[in-house]
Amino acid sequence: MLKILLDHMPLEDDIPALAALHQKGRLAFKALPDKKTEAYKYTDIQGALTVAMLERAKKTCIHADDGMCHCHAHEKSLPFEAYEFHFCNGCLHKHFHFIEGVEVMSLRDAVKEHEASRYINKFDLENYAFAALNTAYADEGLFIKISQNIDRPIVLFYHHDTNLMSHIRNIIVLEKGAKAEVVEIYQGDEAAYFHNIVNEIFISKDALLRHYKLQNEGKSAVHVALSNVQVKEGGVYESFCLQKGANAARNETHVFLKEQNARALVNAAYFGTKKQLIDTTTDIEHLSPLTNSNQIVRGVVSDKAHGVFQGKIHIFPHAVQTEGYQIHKALMLSDDALLDVKPALEIFADDVKCSHGSTCGDLNEDELFYLRSRGIAEDEARQILIKAFLCAAFDDIENQDIKNLFDALK
Amino acid sequence: MTNKPILEIKNLCAGVAGKEIIKNFNLSINEGEVHAIMGPNGAGKSTLSHVLTGKPGYDVRAGQVVFNGKNLLDLSVEDRANEGLFLIMQYPVEISGVPFMSFLKHALNAKRKYLGDKELDAPAFMKLVREEAQKLGINSDMLKRAVNVGFSGGEKKRMETLQMALLRPSLAILDEADSGLDIDALKVVSQGINDLNDGKRALLLITHHQDLLEYIKPDFVHVFADGHIIKTGDKNLALELEAKGYADFIKEAQC
């Protein structure tokens, strides 16, 4: 597996800056993490990868015979107005909307014109094997620079129907005082593919980004995503990610609250069935005084599903008067389901308020009985209660259209 | 009166965790009748309502319960409800995250599906709920909340009564075994029950004092002690019981 990954790495490119980026990734990538890697102790992504998934993505959409893509993802439209961008089998459809106050480019163009250089690879690749792998391969993605309030959500669709691997690199920049909603929707069919995404997000002074993600990849897929977020003074990063797809998945969010009054809300939910492995990992770094973070995570595992939650709040020395809260609650609906939870607080400053908690249990029998006693069949009653349980992690989403995306669980 | 029987309980023995609480219990309820079961706290009155509705955790050791011609004990909790059994709960559970309206819609459509009727569309459903809610003094704000969350005891009872009015059960069981209903809530619930009683339905009241019977007039009063009915009479029996107290009454009845 490792040999195929190493052998296929692109060694040159028309764009020298992109070739240089690939080289950085190549040098940083040593091996796929295994159980001996602390951050992947519970999450065996390597074991879920197959040789069939390691085919490289084509540079143009394989469904485009006349230059237009006719693939499934393109047909599906949202029930609300949005600026939509589509990736099909790892290939970005290049007909962009013009959005007032937003600069949008493909990753290739952004790298070529040196727009991206200020923002790319702004974290230590050595610590993130999959991000290093992404860097070694990435030649597709979006560069989105937002300079004012955006009137509708920006929605990124990712669709796969072919056995291959996609390494997508997005850069999202919010300039001073800008405000935007970005939604990512991941979907796929039966195909066995490996989707490895890195988002680098920069939130300037007093800017606000609401970042939502619905991970509903195909059931044979492997999904690994890292969002690396830097928040400046008074900036706000609010996010929610629901994971219910893929055979094995990990969504990792790493937030750096770099200046005073920077704030992050990193909520998540997961719903694992059959033999799914779903990992939610967060790391919130409070680097400055008066920073604030909150995390509400809800999970459900049934059948033989394996859920993993690793959540860290790290408070640096001098980051006084900060607040960091985290609560994880899970339902285990079968004896064969497995849950690994590792909350961690690392506090190196005095005068801070921090808390974390984790619970796990079954559905409440009295609630179930109440619904059934009103004629609702047991299966349906269970679904209602599961949905209500998960809902606590996304109940606060203001945009009702976006909230509805997560409401439709099945 | 040659009314059809709705519920027939014969020699029912049931309990919880190996302890027998209902012992050789017999009761017949016909269409149009209101029955009250009275007894001291801890006599097992609530166990009876739980066994009838099929709450998990209770064991039925012996006996038979026929409900509208069907063997009630063979039916699942939801099928008992859809067959027309409705329990007005003593302490309705709060379910956060489940909007009350969506819960009502699930319940109504479950019953319609069971009976082979088409599901209600959204406008018809809204109209129906608004009409019934108005009669019970339930405002639209209360309907927007999650199931029972943040409601006072009286408000919860109103919402229970609303559910009953919408589901139109053939037998309603009002379990007030040891909760003290305030007078206002009592009036609302009893009005709802009286409105529903069109002669084709029946009501079983479970209570430990006779306040409730001021508002809902029972045709029969049964005194429940030691797991079964020790005496049956008309509404005057409730007054007699109240005057003497349970301890003396039971002692007398057992002599």
Side-chain angles (χ1 to χ4, degrees):
Chain A
M1 205 82 75
L2 182 64
K3 190 174 182 309
I4 301 173
L5 284 171
L6 292 171
D7 287 353
H8 285 188
M9 282 177 183
L11 296 172
E12 49 192 42
D13 200 282
D14 310 342
I15 304 165
L18 196 59
L21 182 71
H22 290 160
Q23 194 189 359
K24 271 188 192 164
R26 231 170 26 238
L27 293 173
F29 180 77
K30 302 287 189 295
L32 288 167
D34 58 21
K35 294 205 163 189
K36 280 176 255 162
T37 316
E38 181 63 22
Y40 283 84
K41 193 174 169 187
Y42 310 111
T43 308
D44 185 10
I45 294 291
Q46 190 181 191
L49 289 171
T50 61
V51 172
M53 293 176 187
L54 302 186
E55 194 72 33
R56 276 196 69 188
K58 303 284 185 296
K59 285 201 174 164
T60 52
C61 179
I62 53 168
H63 297 292
D65 41 12
D66 54 1
M68 291 291 287
C69 179
H70 303 289
C71 68
H72 178 67
H74 208 52
E75 294 158 14
K76 219 170 188 176
S77 65
L78 285 167
F80 55 89
E81 292 286 318
Y83 299 110
E84 296 183 16
F85 296 90
H86 292 262
F87 291 86
C88 182
N89 292 313
C91 176
L92 174 67
H93 296 179
K94 293 180 185 63
H95 44 87
F96 295 158
H97 294 273
F98 171 76
I99 313 174
E100 179 90 37
V102 183
E103 191 187 331
V104 185
M105 298 170 107
S106 72
L107 176 76
R108 293 184 70 86
D109 287 347
V111 169
K112 189 170 156 190
E113 290 169 25
H114 302 287
E115 278 288 336
S117 54
R118 274 176 66 198
Y119 303 107
I120 207 156
N121 271 347
K122 293 298 163 200
F123 59 100
D124 191 1
L125 285 183
E126 304 282 337
N127 294 332
Y128 299 92
F130 285 105
L133 190 62
N134 174 287
T135 308
Y137 275 100
D139 59 359
E140 208 50 292
L142 277 166
F143 174 84
I144 303 174
K145 196 172 187 179
I146 301 163
S147 58
Q148 61 181 55
N149 285 0
I150 307 305
D151 57 341
R152 352 171 161 154
I154 294 171
V155 180
L156 313 186
F157 275 104
Y158 306 85
H159 181 82
H160 280 81
D161 60 9
T162 308
N163 296 355
L164 47 73
M165 61 176 174
S166 302
H167 300 277
I168 307 287
R169 186 67 157 257
N170 296 314
I171 296 167
I172 300 169
V173 181
L174 273 87
E175 297 202 303
K176 191 176 167 188
K179 194 175 162 186
E181 290 170 326
V182 173
V183 183
E184 294 185 89
I185 298 175
Y186 293 85
Q187 52 200 11
D189 68 0
E190 309 283 304
Y193 58 92
F194 168 38
H195 202 176
N196 182 20
I197 308 99
V198 175
N199 293 323
E200 288 190 78
I201 298 172
F202 299 85
I203 299 175
S204 310
K205 186 169 189 274
D206 299 328
L208 163 66
L209 176 67
R210 297 200 162 112
H211 182 197
Y212 304 108
K213 170 171 171 177
L214 174 61
Q215 188 275 91
N216 193 20
E217 300 272 26
K219 63 178 184 181
S220 306
V222 173
H223 173 102
V224 179
L226 170 69
S227 285
N228 204 279
V229 188
Q230 303 202 12
V231 191
K232 294 275 184 70
E233 185 184 345
V236 179
Y237 176 68
E238 284 185 5
S239 69
F240 171 69
C241 168
L242 171 65
Q243 296 201 79
K244 59 173 181 158
N247 174 40
R250 171 166 170 126
N251 186 63
E252 185 164 351
T253 309
H254 200 155
V255 182
F256 297 83
L257 299 170
K258 296 182 83 169
E259 293 175 3
Q260 291 197 357
N261 297 313
R263 192 161 67 79
L265 176 69
V266 184
N267 287 0
Y270 55 90
F271 187 16
T273 58
K274 300 195 177 108
K275 286 180 167 179
Q276 278 182 300
L277 162 64
I278 302 184
D279 173 321
T280 299
T281 294
T282 64
D283 189 348
I284 317 289
E285 315 256 13
H286 291 260
L287 293 131
S288 189
L290 296 161
T291 49
N292 180 301
S293 73
N294 205 346
Q295 302 172 63
I296 300 171
V297 182
R298 292 275 170 125
V300 177
V301 279
S302 64
D303 307 327
K304 290 182 173 176
H306 179 189
V308 179
F309 173 66
Q310 305 185 98
K312 186 153 91 173
I313 301 172
H314 183 182
I315 305 205
F316 280 72
H318 313 300
V320 292
Q321 294 180 42
T322 57
E323 295 184 24
Y325 304 106
Q326 176 195 96
I327 182 84
H328 167 265
K329 290 188 178 182
L331 292 178
M332 290 184 86
L333 301 181
S334 96
D335 290 344
D336 296 325
L338 179 64
L339 204 56
D340 283 299
V341 180
K342 194 175 85 177
L345 289 179
E346 286 181 8
I347 304 175
F348 298 99
D350 294 327
D351 190 16
V352 298
K353 286 184 196 167
C354 284
S355 72
H356 68 80
S358 185
T359 66
C360 135
D362 203 344
L363 287 173
N364 182 310
E365 283 298 326
D366 290 336
E367 295 179 358
L368 198 58
F369 173 69
Y370 188 80
L371 295 182
R372 293 179 69 199
S373 79
R374 296 321 185 221
I376 301 169
E378 184 172 1
D379 259 10
E380 198 180 341
R382 294 181 82 90
Q383 291 302 325
I384 291 171
L385 293 177
I386 289 168
K387 199 172 130 182
F389 177 81
L390 293 175
C391 179
F394 63 92
D395 212 22
D396 290 337
I397 296 179
E398 274 176 36
N399 186 325
Q400 196 60 43
D401 292 326
I402 293 173
K403 196 173 163 183
N404 289 343
L405 286 177
F406 300 113
D407 258 339
L409 248 186
K410 272 199 161 175
Chain B
M1 283 204 298
T2 52
N3 281 349
K4 273 202 316 198
I6 287 182
L7 182 76
E8 287 177 287
I9 306 174
K10 287 179 192 149
N11 302 321
L12 183 69
C13 299
V16 63
K19 193 180 165 215
E20 194 158 273
I21 297 167
I22 307 287
K23 299 165 191 166
N24 261 321
F25 186 92
N26 290 284
L27 179 66
S28 281
I29 299 179
N30 295 332
E31 275 184 348
E33 293 177 355
V34 176
H35 290 245
I37 291 182
M38 299 183 72
N41 284 339
K45 301 190 298 297
S46 281
T47 301
L48 179 66
S49 70
H50 291 154
V51 168
L52 292 178
T53 45
K55 188 169 183 165
Y58 293 87
D59 312 310
V60 175
R61 286 237 334 256
Q64 200 191 10
V65 181
V66 178
F67 178 58
N68 287 331
K70 294 201 172 151
N71 185 350
L72 184 79
L73 301 175
D74 282 352
L75 300 176
S76 66
V77 175
E78 50 269 35
D79 285 354
R80 294 179 198 203
N82 290 325
E83 282 288 339
L85 186 67
F86 187 91
L87 173 66
I88 300 175
M89 300 212 185
Q90 199 170 186
Y91 303 109
V93 64
E94 299 189 5
I95 312 180
S96 59
V98 179
F100 191 80
M101 287 299 268
S102 125
F103 155 69
L104 270 188
K105 200 169 180 193
H106 276 288
L108 261 177
N109 282 332
K111 180 155 189 176
R112 293 180 74 91
K113 203 170 142 192
Y114 185 85
L115 298 175
D117 292 336
K118 264 212 279 193
E119 293 193 356
L120 278 177
D121 61 17
F125 167 75
M126 291 301 289
K127 187 168 176 279
L128 187 65
V129 174
R130 283 215 193 91
E131 277 172 14
E132 293 295 340
Q134 205 174 13
K135 284 189 212 164
L136 295 164
I138 294 167
N139 59 36
S140 58
D141 196 49
M142 283 169 76
L143 293 172
K144 281 182 196 149
R145 292 194 240 170
V147 176
N148 295 322
V149 174
F151 289 146
S152 69
E155 284 174 329
K156 282 179 184 165
K157 283 289 147 66
R158 271 173 217 259
M159 297 311 247
E160 294 284 291
T161 310
L162 173 62
Q163 293 170 45
M164 181 184 67
L166 290 167
L167 293 169
R168 308 191 68 74
S170 57
L171 176 67
I173 303 173
L174 175 56
D175 185 353
E176 286 303 327
D178 51 37
S179 74
L181 259 186
D182 67 69
I183 296 296
D184 288 348
L186 205 63
K187 281 183 182 162
V188 172
V189 174
S190 49
Q191 188 207 323
I193 286 170
N194 292 331
D195 284 354
L196 197 67
N197 207 342
D198 55 7
K200 294 218 169 68
R201 297 163 211 285
L203 175 69
L204 177 60
L205 294 168
I206 297 175
T207 182
H208 74 132
H209 52 69
Q210 64 106 38
D211 294 4
L212 196 61
L213 310 183
E214 299 264 325
Y215 298 92
I216 309 165
K217 300 276 182 254
D219 300 305
F220 303 93
V221 173
H222 310 280
V223 181
F224 184 93
D226 195 26
H228 58 272
I229 291 169
I230 56 166
K231 190 163 183 179
T232 294
D234 62 11
K235 59 181 186 295
N236 294 320
L237 183 61
L239 298 172
E240 193 187 327
L241 200 56
E242 195 91 334
K244 278 191 184 149
Y246 281 112
D248 287 346
F249 188 92
I250 291 164
K251 213 182 280 170
E252 236 172 72
Q254 281 169 339
C255 285

